Amino acid sequence: MSESEWDDFDGATVMGQLGEVGCRNIQRMYVVEVKLDSVLDEDEVLPLIVNDWVDVQEGVYRYHTLQLSDGIQVKIILGEYMACTVFWEY
């Protein structure tokens, strides 16, 4: 992968809504607030839901799951050099 492709693959996901209540994915998400400053004094605070990678063994194995409208995506990185994506359709 090129460096930009790797950055896209390796980044955390910012989501607009929560998934199913009670699932493990909800337990690993966190909410951050971003303040947008306006030159018109109309500042706005936006809450963002972040779904990040789970490090099973640092530098050896990590994964990222994402529930999409048409299925579930799992991204896996092994040894920080081999990567794959698995997708299950609903």
Side-chain angles (χ1 to χ4, degrees):
M1 283 189 232
S2 69
E3 189 173 332
S4 65
E5 289 172 325
W6 179 257
D7 289 342
D8 288 341
F9 184 87
D10 192 34
T13 304
V14 176
M15 304 172 61
Q17 62 184 359
L18 292 173
E20 182 180 339
V21 175
C23 68
R24 286 187 187 203
N25 200 22
I26 293 289
Q27 297 171 1
R28 295 186 175 116
M29 291 182 184
Y30 54 94
V31 177
V32 254
E33 286 188 341
V34 178
K35 182 179 179 188
L36 303 175
D37 291 331
S38 171
V39 294
L40 302 174
D41 289 330
E42 298 173 4
D43 297 347
E44 186 176 356
V45 176
L46 296 174
L48 300 175
I49 302 166
V50 179
N51 181 8
D52 208 355
W53 288 80
V54 176
D55 285 321
V56 177
Q57 189 173 359
E58 190 174 338
V60 177
Y61 172 63
R62 60 192 172 110
Y63 69 92
H64 179 274
T65 59
L66 187 58
Q67 184 175 358
L68 303 168
S69 61
D70 56 345
I72 296 174
Q73 174 185 355
V74 178
K75 296 191 285 187
I76 300 168
I77 297 180
L78 299 171
E80 295 302 318
Y81 68 89
M82 185 165 49
C84 73
T85 301
V86 180
F87 187 79
W88 288 272
E89 286 186 63
Y90 292 134

